[in-house]
Structure formats: C-alpha cells, structure tokens
Amino acid sequence: LRKFTQTRGSGVMIFRQLFDRDSCTYTYLLADPDTKEAVLVDPVIELAERDAKLVDQMGLNLIYVMNTHMHADHITGTGLLKKLVPSCQSVISKESGAMADVHVEHGEVVKFGEQELEVRQTPGHTNGCVTYVCHGEKFALTGDALLVRGCGRTDFQEGSAETLYESVHSQILSLPDDFALYPAHDYVGHTVTSVAEEKEFNPRLTKSKEEFIDLMNNLGLAYPRKIDISLPANKVCGLYNLP
Amino acid sequence: LRKFTQTRGSGVMIFRQLFDRDSCTYTYLLADPDTKEAVLVDPVIELAERDAKLVDQMGLNLIYVMNTHMHADHITGTGLLKKLVPSCQSVISKESGAMADVHVEHGEVVKFGEQELEVRQTPGHTNGCVTYVCHGEKFALTGDALLVRGCGRTDFQEGSAETLYESVHSQILSLPDDFALYPAHDYVGHTVTSVAEEKEFNPRLTKSKEEFIDLMNNLGLAYPRKIDISLPANKVCGLYNLP
Ligand SMILES: [Fe+2]
Ligand SMILES: [Fe+2]
C-alpha cells in the first residue's frame, strides 16, 4: 500500500537536487549535518560557481566531487570545483578510464561524516558507470543507468544494452521497493522515482532482455551534440582547455 | 547546528516536485499514502498530461488542482487536468479574482487524507497570492512570494513591494528555521531552500523594508512575454480558447 511513499530514511542527511536546464543534468549535494562534510555528484561546469556558493552558504566542507560516469553530454564541473574549493578531491570509477584523485570500485563505501554511499558498478550506458546507494536514507543516485521511466542510451562509449539490462535489474531494481531513485538527467521535468514504480512502469526495463536489446539497438538516436568536446574534457575532470 | 538540515517531518507524505523547462515552473504532487487522496499545485498546461499520467500510475485519487496565484508567465494546467481527471476540483484564493470550484481564504485548511495544508495569504507579487503550509511535514509551497534567494516581481498584477515584504516576513520567514520552502519557479536550477537560509542569504528580503521597496521599484524588468495570453486564460482555470 505504501510502496510509492517517498521517504529518505531518517531524513537527517542534508540533500539538495540541482538542475542544469541546458543539458537537463541533475547535480546532487549531500552532506552530514553534524560534521558538515559534503559531496557533490555530477556537477556541470557552467554551474560550478552556483554549487560552490551553495556549499559555502550552507557552511559545508566539500570533501568529494564525484561523477557517476564519464559524461558525453556536458563537461563536468569537477575540475572547476577543485579550483573553487581547493580542499576537495575528485572521485570516479576505475573502469571509467577518467583521471581522478580517488578511483572507486564496486563494493567500496564513500563516507562523509556519518553518511555512507555504497558504490555499485552498473555498466551498460558506459563501461564505467556506477550507482551510489545510500542505505541509511533509502535512495540511490543512478546516473544514466536508470532514468525516470527510461534509461541511458547504449550506442556509444562502450555501451551495451545486454550489460545495461543486467546491471539495472541486479544492482538497482533489486533494492527495496521504497528506495527513491535519483537520475542524472530528466528531459520532461521528473525529479525522482522509486524502485517500485520503475519495476512496474519503466517502458524499457519491464521488457524481456531480448526485447530490450532489440529496442535499444534500434533507437536511431542522433550523434550526441557535445560528445566530441565533453569526452576529452571529462577524461581530465573537465579541466581540458580550461582558462 | 542542524538549521540547514533538509527534512520533511515524518517523511510519510507522498511528495513529488515536477519542472517545466520552458517557464521554469515547479509543480507539486502531494498525496496521502493511505487514502491515496492527492493534490496538484501549480500545474502547467503543456505538461498536464505528464501530471495526469503520474497520478494514474501512482494509483492516486486527485481531488484538488490548486494554484498559489493567478500566474502571468504560463497557462495553468488546471482546466485541462479537470478534463483528464474529471473527479478533481480547482482551488485558488478568493482574492485572486480567478474562477475556481473552491475559493480558499487565509487560515483555511486544505485536507487530503490525513494531510493538511494551511492557507496563508501572502500578497505582494499579486493581490491573491497564497502560501500553502504543511506543518506535519515541515514545508511550505511559497508560489512567487518567496523564491530561492529571490522573490516574485511586484510591478504588475496589483503588485506591491511593501506588501510583499510584509507578507514574506510575517507569514513565511516566521516559520521555524528548518521548514523547507518550495518555490513556484527557479531559473538557475535550485529546487528548494529553507527558512534559515532565506533569512540569512536572500539578497532582497534581508534588506530593510525601505531598501527592498526601492530595489523592487527599480528592477526595470521587461514586460512579461506571456502575460497577455496567460491572465485571461488563468482567470478561467486555463480553459480559455482550449480546443
Ligand atoms: Fe551519460
Ligand atoms: Fe507569478
């Protein structure tokens, strides 16, 4: 009955969702209210100053700037944030092939104060995609592996529809029904979903694996507008050619 | 120490924030998890079908489609939602001058299941602006009275900088520090703020009343792009000239 209830566990973690209207990217600011240690996930370079200002106003100590994967549609704000907030370190998965201060692997836990994010490898959109799971507050940041009623494309950056299907089902939709799922993008204004909803209503992931692969391999999407500038930049935390 | 903690009280209410990228409007879907009674606040006509679909998928019973005020920047989805979900009723303040099934006044309470929203009159942006306060979950929907680090303009629709200043201070910033404040718009990707933050960092509302009035009366903003089509439509729930 309460499967669509939208909670965040204890509700104690500081949690802010931020949006980039141009690339439709969601950035997340998470922090421990006691120690003030904070992490930013998937920042966008054009909005890095907005993010740094919010961190500063909220009196937070930004320790990690993390990415769910090496993005092809925007330049990460990671490198610029490291300049704006020199104490922080960049974090990305080892498999991403991108440079970072800290490379994380499946099963590791990122800690900030009393808060914890479990790293789950969820390849398929890219080889190096991870989902950050917060068991304490009952949510996951799914990157482009799972979007609200959708999923990331699998036709570039070592994408594989079969791998994505397995990742989403084994690592994300296997979480409890009431876990909130926060995507890296949404194009129609949804901000969040839940495991229960996606298991029931995701038009792609509710298909059989064979149907999913067939669908994903025949989307006929346009070549990503910013991929040729984004990937080389995101390999080096977005600092490529930065003034 | 915990003043910026972002909680929603018991965390039991179903709560969804939705965004319109064109007008930068936030729409809110709130529901009682037990009775499934739901309300939508500030829907946008172009996205009414998205909203109706979400209501349907979540198994909710939409009883009210509410507006914080008569918007000048977009056509409300209220009328279209009444066609898509015939059981629901439209709600707006009596002072708005707009047609609706239910006219609310200062101090009234809107109920859906066990959930309650207190109506607080917060004129200044328009004559008929209200803020919906949820004491149980510790948040308020502020419409255009208070925006994240900003506020609605006061130079049309019977706007008054002095009235807005008094409304925001007496009805919104007087709430407890840890109340979350959800605006009707944001133009740089912020999704939420808190009473504590706005008391400390709102660049307009932290000024003296005299400075605020002077600032607001000299913004020199452009004539609102959609006001001439939005106001006549929103007077009649957005049904004006609807096919
Ligand atoms: Fe991506
Ligand atoms: Fe407005």
Side-chain angles (χ1 to χ4, degrees):
Chain A
L1 194 70
R2 286 175 174 257
K3 66 178 175 172
F4 295 145
T5 304
Q6 177 66 47
T7 66
R8 279 203 308 277
S10 70
V12 162
M13 181 191 277
I14 293 172
F15 181 99
R16 287 291 164 89
Q17 187 174 30
L18 299 147
F19 188 61
D20 170 33
R21 243 176 116 195
D22 183 45
S23 65
C24 287
T25 301
Y26 283 115
T27 298
Y28 299 91
L29 174 62
L30 316 178
D32 185 284
D34 293 320
T35 69
K36 306 289 186 192
E37 287 177 307
V39 304
L40 257 174
V41 181
D42 289 337
V44 174
I45 193 166
E46 288 85 358
L47 295 165
E49 296 192 19
R50 172 199 66 185
D51 302 342
K53 188 174 181 182
L54 182 61
V55 164
D56 178 55
Q57 288 186 336
M58 292 177 82
L60 301 175
N61 172 23
L62 186 64
I63 59 172
Y64 298 127
V65 181
M66 307 163 59
N67 280 281
T68 53
H69 64 293
M70 196 163 74
H71 301 278
D73 65 317
H74 67 272
I75 298 180
T76 178
T78 308
L80 184 49
L81 279 153
K82 284 186 61 178
K83 292 190 179 233
L84 297 169
V85 189
S87 59
C88 69
Q89 291 190 293
S90 57
V91 177
I92 201 166
S93 79
K94 199 173 179 181
E95 288 76 10
S96 70
M99 196 193 84
D101 298 316
V102 179
H103 281 114
V104 289
E105 290 187 86
H106 186 80
E108 285 186 46
V109 173
V110 177
K111 292 192 184 200
F112 46 107
E114 292 296 303
Q115 315 298 320
E116 295 190 345
L117 292 174
E118 179 198 347
V119 178
R120 292 192 174 191
Q121 226 173 307
T122 49
H125 168 62
T126 75
N127 246 354
C129 286
V130 297
T131 290
Y132 296 111
V133 180
C134 180
H135 294 279
E137 305 282 323
K138 300 175 89 170
F139 71 85
L141 307 180
T142 59
D144 290 3
L146 187 70
L147 305 178
V148 182
R149 311 293 192 266
C151 64
R153 58 197 288 182
T154 54
D155 59 338
F156 62 83
Q157 263 183 300
E158 303 114 14
S160 156
E162 182 171 8
T163 305
L164 183 63
Y165 190 89
E166 287 163 6
S167 291
V168 171
H169 280 283
S170 70
Q171 302 300 322
I172 299 173
L173 297 182
S174 57
L175 289 166
D177 269 2
D178 64 346
F179 267 48
L181 302 176
Y182 290 93
H185 298 287
D186 194 275
Y187 303 94
V188 298
H190 284 286
T191 56
V192 64
T193 183
S194 65
V195 170
E197 272 170 78
E198 295 310 312
K199 274 160 63 174
E200 193 165 344
F201 300 116
N202 191 296
R204 294 178 177 180
L205 273 311
T206 50
K207 292 188 189 297
S208 72
K209 194 198 284 188
E210 292 63 39
E211 288 173 310
F212 178 78
I213 293 169
D214 190 54
L215 173 86
M216 294 304 289
N217 290 345
N218 292 287
L219 289 177
L221 297 171
Y223 188 73
R225 185 166 57 96
K226 290 191 178 176
I227 191 169
D228 294 322
I229 60 154
S230 296
L231 287 186
N234 289 339
K235 265 205 172 122
V236 290
C237 291
L239 287 172
Y240 182 78
N241 270 345
L242 202 74
Chain B
L1 194 70
R2 285 175 173 256
K3 67 178 176 172
F4 294 146
T5 304
Q6 177 65 47
T7 66
R8 278 203 307 278
S10 69
V12 161
M13 179 190 280
I14 293 172
F15 181 99
R16 286 291 164 89
Q17 187 174 29
L18 299 147
F19 188 61
D20 170 33
R21 243 176 116 195
D22 182 44
S23 65
C24 287
T25 301
Y26 283 116
T27 298
Y28 299 90
L29 174 62
L30 317 178
D32 184 284
D34 293 319
T35 69
K36 306 290 187 193
E37 286 177 310
V39 303
L40 257 175
V41 181
D42 288 337
V44 175
I45 193 166
E46 288 85 358
L47 295 166
E49 296 192 17
R50 172 199 67 185
D51 301 343
K53 188 174 180 183
L54 183 61
V55 164
D56 179 56
Q57 289 186 336
M58 292 176 83
L60 301 175
N61 171 23
L62 186 65
I63 59 171
Y64 297 127
V65 180
M66 306 163 59
N67 280 283
T68 52
H69 64 293
M70 197 163 75
H71 302 278
D73 64 317
H74 67 272
I75 298 180
T76 178
T78 308
L80 184 49
L81 279 153
K82 283 186 64 178
K83 292 189 178 232
L84 297 169
V85 188
S87 60
C88 69
Q89 292 190 294
S90 57
V91 177
I92 200 165
S93 78
K94 197 174 180 181
E95 288 76 11
S96 69
M99 195 192 83
D101 297 316
V102 180
H103 280 114
V104 289
E105 290 187 84
H106 187 80
E108 285 187 45
V109 173
V110 177
K111 292 191 184 202
F112 46 107
E114 292 296 304
Q115 315 298 320
E116 295 189 346
L117 292 174
E118 178 198 347
V119 179
R120 291 192 174 191
Q121 225 173 310
T122 49
H125 168 62
T126 75
N127 245 353
C129 287
V130 297
T131 291
Y132 296 111
V133 180
C134 179
H135 293 279
E137 306 281 324
K138 300 176 88 168
F139 71 85
L141 307 180
T142 58
D144 290 2
L146 186 71
L147 306 178
V148 182
R149 311 293 191 265
C151 64
R153 58 197 287 181
T154 54
D155 57 338
F156 61 83
Q157 261 183 299
E158 301 114 15
S160 156
E162 182 171 7
T163 304
L164 182 63
Y165 191 89
E166 287 163 6
S167 291
V168 171
H169 280 282
S170 70
Q171 302 300 323
I172 300 173
L173 298 182
S174 57
L175 291 165
D177 269 1
D178 63 347
F179 267 49
L181 302 176
Y182 290 94
H185 298 286
D186 194 275
Y187 303 94
V188 298
H190 284 286
T191 57
V192 63
T193 183
S194 65
V195 170
E197 272 169 78
E198 295 309 313
K199 273 161 61 175
E200 193 164 345
F201 300 116
N202 190 297
R204 293 178 177 179
L205 272 312
T206 50
K207 291 189 188 299
S208 71
K209 192 198 286 188
E210 292 64 39
E211 288 172 310
F212 178 78
I213 293 169
D214 190 54
L215 173 86
M216 294 305 289
N217 290 345
N218 291 287
L219 289 177
L221 297 171
Y223 189 72
R225 185 166 58 94
K226 290 190 176 177
I227 191 169
D228 294 322
I229 59 156
S230 297
L231 287 187
N234 289 339
K235 265 205 170 123
V236 289
C237 291
L239 287 173
Y240 182 77
N241 270 344
L242 201 73

